[in-house]
Amino acid sequence: GAGVSQSPRYKVAKRGQDVALRCDPISGHVSLFWYQQALGQGPEFLTYFQNEAQLDKSGLPSDRFFAERPEGSVSTLKIQRTQQEDSAVYLCASRPGGNTEAFFGQGTRLTVV
Amino acid sequence: GESVGLHLPTLSVQEGDNSIINCAYSNSASDYFIWYKQESGKGPQFIIDIRSNMDKRQGQRVTVLLNKTVKHLSLQIAATQPGDSAVYFCAENLHQGGKLIFGQGTELSVKP
């Protein structure tokens, strides 16, 4: 079966540009997470959905970051007016629900120039 | 602005030796823990998990130990192989089904 799929794999954006990163979770998975991973560091939590409800967005670094999951499956992370400090790998993960392992996608490497 | 890079702790072992990777977690209320392996350019990959009502769990070549008294987790890899070279992260789950909080990570290097 297919795992978590993220697109694009790589994105180069000019500073000030808006970007949209897509995550296709494993079919039927209730929970979906977005993480930001800077070079040499562990993944940092951004936001979490249970079905279409965004239950926790405490990790979003600013109001330039916005995530949605309107139908409880595919999710999009949008970053407006990108800054150089936004350069990182953005990871998406999904899990069936409850205390189970979270399955990660390959990530989108965002470089802001 | 200036960027500060963090240098991951590194563990270097000889092929065939056993490896032990340690992790301190932050919240005594966490009830579920996972070890992930991350290779360069890839997302984290599940290795093994353990619930807070256990203190040891074994998988294939891997064992996780949990010490709730001192909030410490360890991953033991038996007969380490070159393919085990990667960065290893522990993650804790504070609320059932909620977000995973990741530790800093340890880079394991296996010498043939």
Side-chain angles (χ1 to χ4, degrees):
Chain A
V4 177
S5 178
Q6 292 188 244
S7 61
R9 283 280 282 134
Y10 304 92
K11 176 70 179 177
V12 178
K14 291 185 178 179
R15 192 172 55 181
Q17 188 178 353
D18 297 349
V19 298
L21 313 180
R22 177 187 169 105
C23 174
D24 284 80
I26 294 173
S27 178
H29 278 195
V30 169
S31 302
L32 184 147
F33 305 84
W34 283 99
Y35 285 83
Q36 181 189 60
Q37 187 173 27
L39 188 64
Q41 299 186 36
E44 294 280 345
F45 172 78
L46 293 177
T47 186
Y48 153 56
F49 291 85
Q50 189 167 307
N51 297 307
E52 68 277 4
Q54 190 173 19
L55 297 188
D56 187 343
K57 53 181 180 179
S58 61
L60 296 176
S62 76
D63 58 9
R64 296 186 295 104
F65 287 70
F66 172 76
E68 59 183 4
R69 194 187 185 198
E71 296 178 359
S73 55
V74 171
S75 177
T76 304
L77 176 67
K78 298 179 179 178
I79 308 173
Q80 297 177 321
R81 304 181 303 281
T82 51
Q83 303 295 314
Q84 281 192 312
E85 62 262 29
D86 300 334
S87 296
V89 174
Y90 290 85
L91 294 164
C92 176
S94 70
R95 70 199 303 190
N99 276 354
T100 56
E101 65 177 282
F103 296 83
F104 280 83
Q106 298 261 53
T108 293
R109 180 176 295 278
L110 173 65
T111 304
V112 182
V113 297
Chain B
E2 182 182 12
S3 64
V4 178
L6 283 179
H7 296 283
L8 289 170
T10 300
L11 175 64
S12 184
V13 301
Q14 204 70 38
E15 181 178 0
D17 286 353
N18 297 333
S19 302
I20 299 177
I21 299 171
N22 296 303
C23 174
Y25 64 91
S26 58
N27 200 307
S28 57
S30 292
D31 60 358
Y32 177 62
F33 305 87
I34 306 178
W35 278 100
Y36 281 95
K37 172 186 180 183
Q38 188 173 27
E39 296 173 290
S40 181
K42 297 184 178 180
Q45 178 187 3
F46 172 85
I47 301 172
I48 191 168
D49 58 3
I50 189 167
R51 302 187 190 283
S52 59
N53 61 352
M54 304 171 69
D55 53 22
K56 180 179 180 179
R57 188 160 189 233
Q58 288 185 288
Q60 189 174 20
R61 282 203 306 121
V62 294
T63 300
V64 55
L65 299 177
L66 174 63
N67 185 331
K68 294 183 288 291
T69 302
V70 294
K71 294 190 288 185
H72 184 269
L73 205 60
S74 69
L75 176 70
Q76 301 176 1
I77 304 174
T80 315
Q81 303 167 0
D84 295 327
S85 295
V87 178
Y88 290 80
F89 294 99
C90 67
E92 62 184 300
N93 195 143
L94 180 57
H95 302 294
Q96 185 168 3
K99 66 189 179 188
L100 292 172
I101 301 169
F102 282 78
Q104 180 187 17
T106 296
E107 183 171 9
L108 176 65
S109 175
V110 182
K111 295 176 286 186

